[in-house]
Amino acid sequence: MSGMARNAQKLEGFDRRSGNISPTHDHVVQFYERDAFLIETVATFVAGGLRAAQPVIVVATPPHREALVVRLAVLGVDAEVCVATGALTLLDAEQTLAKFMVDGAPDRVRFSDSVAVAVESAVGRSPTGHVRAYGEMVDCLWRAGNAPAAIALEGLWNELGTRYSFSLLCGYGMDNFRHQPDGGGFEAVCHAHSRTVPTEAYLALESDDSRMREVSVLQQRGRALENEMARRLAVERELREAVNARDEFINAAGHELRTPLTVLRLQLASMLSRPGDGDDPRTPARLSLMVSQIERLARMAERLVDVSQLGEQVILHRRPVDLAGLVQNGLAAQEKAAAAADCVVTVTGDAAVMGRWDPDRLEQVIEELLANAFKFGAGAPVEVAVQARAEHVELVIQDGGIGVAAGDRERIFDRGVRPASIEKFGGLGLGLWIVRRIVEAHGGTITADSNAGRGTTVVLRLPYDPAC
């Protein structure tokens, strides 16, 4: 026996118990892929009810009603005669929906005044008090994108089943659930029915073994889809975070660039307003300020270039170099910044520590760390120590500034992180990330011990070979 025939046989007698008609409410959902299969299933269901003297109500779309009448004729049922005698009621799905839908949802009172009245009338004509009904209204709602209304309508049918004895068959096209997010709606449809019948693809399988294999394959696919969905959600999360980081960076870059550009624009405008006044005593100071702002822009441009170069791999040019000497060079470069911040600097430790490092990159690291100490520790002393250990060298920079909150301490070396207010302190959130990338490229580590309002101690450790 074919799968379609087996299903038809089951549906023809799905309300039978021990060969007798059982006056109970049975709510079955039939999923289908092809209209021909659905019409065959519904025709068998309807014909079975008519043979058992059970009035039948069909609520379907015009194409399905017409195809159903043709198929019933093949099964020996004259639909026109059955309609004339009241044994068969044919209703239009969309027209019936219009009678009880209010603001996109089924209204209980109007449903009772229309559908419930039709069911009650059919029950009154049934010798056994039991009727059959087939409906496509829920499928119409689902196809229109109104899944909540479809589920609500299923609930109204179930409530009706507590008052009248009928067997209800609902048809849902499987293409309603072709997307992954539809899984929740599919489960809701299944739970709204007392029995679920799979599509013809499953019913066509000839043996229990083949059906079990199909179930196993579907389970595997379901698990794989769940894992893939979880992976895609994780990627989506990462992309959102990347977009947020990009937006924050663009905002910070705009903020940083605006300040020196504004200064340059104002100073140039002032100087151009007096083109013949070459003896203005303010000119040297203005030119000096303009140079410093241009240097600031140049540093930002270099930092942006660093970001692109350090994204994948840091290229080092190692040679013997004195770390203590690099620290002295860094302090000299930051002398004006220290003075402007009113920071007194104390240097302790070894006078010379030789190692094979990239001097340009380490100078960049040292200047960045010192600049941060002066920026965030203004008015407080800064202590710098260089100490050679057995297997590594330590550079410790301690300030007495604003410190870092506990929640940000582990993140300050990440790209785009600015634990301090951008309006007050500025910054692109790239400096410490670049520092970490350079230190790790040397095989070293960098950590920060800090508390809000109590200063910060940065400890940099680099591999060290005394025999260098």
Side-chain angles (χ1 to χ4, degrees):
M1 182 183 296
S2 70
M4 184 177 292
R6 280 197 304 272
N7 189 51
Q9 187 181 66
K10 290 178 182 178
L11 286 173
E12 182 178 354
F14 72 44
D15 60 340
R16 297 180 184 272
R17 302 291 189 275
S18 303
N20 299 317
I21 302 299
S22 177
T24 58
H25 169 55
D26 196 9
H27 193 180
V28 180
V29 57
Q30 171 69 69
F31 295 106
Y32 67 94
E33 297 175 3
R34 296 179 296 109
D35 282 2
F37 171 79
L38 176 69
I39 297 303
E40 177 68 24
T41 299
V42 175
T44 305
F45 170 71
V46 172
L50 295 174
R51 293 191 189 103
Q54 299 173 2
V56 180
I57 301 172
V58 173
V59 189
T61 61
H64 284 176
R65 290 202 312 275
E66 293 172 6
L68 176 61
V69 170
V70 173
R71 186 57 191 162
L72 285 174
V74 174
L75 297 178
V77 176
D78 189 328
E80 186 175 347
V81 172
C82 292
V83 170
T85 61
L88 177 62
T89 302
L90 297 176
L91 301 175
D92 182 271
E94 294 290 354
Q95 292 177 1
T96 306
L97 275 172
K99 293 180 179 180
F100 59 80
M101 292 294 291
V102 177
D103 295 330
D107 181 82
R108 178 177 279 99
V109 174
R110 294 190 180 188
F111 177 82
S112 180
D113 291 342
S114 54
V115 177
V117 167
V119 171
E120 183 179 21
S121 177
V123 169
R125 298 192 302 272
S126 173
T128 64
H130 191 79
V131 301
R132 293 191 182 193
Y134 166 72
E136 294 181 355
M137 293 184 292
V138 286
D139 188 49
C140 291
L141 289 171
W142 207 282
R143 290 182 186 278
N146 195 349
I151 297 300
L153 181 54
E154 297 285 14
L156 292 180
W157 276 110
N158 286 332
E159 290 179 12
L160 195 61
T162 63
R163 295 158 51 193
Y164 303 105
S165 177
F166 63 88
S167 297
L168 173 63
L169 173 64
C170 297
Y172 279 87
M174 188 57 82
D175 60 347
N176 285 326
F177 312 97
R178 60 184 178 273
H179 300 300
Q180 182 68 19
D182 297 328
F186 185 83
E187 291 184 10
V189 170
C190 293
H191 285 304
H193 294 81
S194 58
R195 188 149 61 89
T196 300
V197 184
T199 70
E200 59 268 38
Y202 178 81
L203 295 172
L205 299 174
E206 295 295 332
S207 67
D208 289 341
D209 286 342
S210 61
R211 285 189 285 274
M212 289 301 99
R213 280 194 296 272
E214 181 69 11
V215 170
S216 299
V217 169
L218 291 175
Q219 287 177 329
Q220 184 276 328
R221 289 177 180 172
R223 179 59 60 85
L225 284 173
E226 289 178 0
N227 292 337
E228 177 63 15
M229 179 58 68
R231 186 191 69 81
R232 293 189 180 189
L233 288 174
V235 171
E236 182 181 347
R237 250 188 332 267
E238 292 175 359
L239 289 174
R240 281 199 302 268
E241 291 172 358
V243 169
N244 291 337
R246 180 206 64 188
D247 292 343
E248 291 178 4
F249 172 76
I250 291 174
N251 177 60
H255 182 86
E256 282 289 283
L257 293 170
R258 187 185 302 117
T259 301
L261 289 174
T262 299
V263 173
L264 287 172
R265 185 172 63 249
L266 292 175
Q267 295 301 322
L268 284 172
S270 177
M271 294 178 68
L272 289 173
S273 67
R274 299 180 181 180
D277 193 2
D279 298 329
D280 189 341
R282 294 172 296 178
T283 297
R286 286 173 174 170
L287 289 173
S288 177
L289 179 59
M290 290 169 64
V291 169
S292 69
Q293 296 303 313
I294 290 172
E295 290 175 348
R296 182 177 176 184
L297 288 172
R299 286 195 300 270
M300 280 189 281
E302 290 173 358
R303 178 139 313 163
L304 294 176
V305 172
D306 270 338
V307 171
S308 65
Q309 292 178 344
L310 299 179
E312 296 296 333
Q313 182 179 4
V314 181
I315 299 175
L316 301 177
H317 301 284
R318 296 175 182 265
R319 59 183 175 85
V321 63
D322 177 15
L323 181 62
L326 293 180
V327 169
Q328 292 298 332
N329 292 342
L331 287 170
Q334 296 289 330
E335 184 178 0
K336 289 184 179 179
D342 193 24
C343 292
V344 177
V345 182
T346 303
V347 181
T348 60
D350 296 330
V353 180
M354 296 297 298
R356 287 189 61 82
W357 303 300
D358 185 324
D360 294 330
R361 287 300 189 186
L362 286 189
E363 278 192 349
Q364 185 179 357
V365 167
I366 293 167
E367 289 186 20
E368 179 68 31
L369 295 179
L370 289 173
N372 276 350
F374 301 144
K375 180 196 294 187
F376 300 112
V382 173
E383 298 179 6
V384 181
V386 181
Q387 184 72 51
R389 306 295 183 184
E391 296 181 351
H392 66 268
V393 60
E394 283 186 357
L395 169 62
V396 180
I397 299 178
Q398 182 177 2
D399 66 61
I402 63 173
V404 180
D408 293 324
R409 196 179 306 148
E410 299 299 325
R411 302 171 51 247
I412 61 173
F413 294 102
D414 292 343
R415 179 162 53 182
V417 174
R418 291 177 300 277
S421 167
I422 185 175
E423 287 77 13
K424 185 175 181 180
F425 292 98
L428 298 175
L430 299 175
L432 290 181
W433 176 76
I434 293 174
V435 164
R436 178 172 64 85
R437 295 284 286 127
I438 294 173
V439 172
E440 290 177 350
H442 280 86
T445 62
I446 186 166
T447 59
D449 183 14
S450 180
N451 288 294
R454 299 174 61 183
T456 300
T457 300
V458 175
V459 179
L460 185 158
R461 295 183 176 90
L462 294 173
Y464 171 59
D465 182 2
C468 173

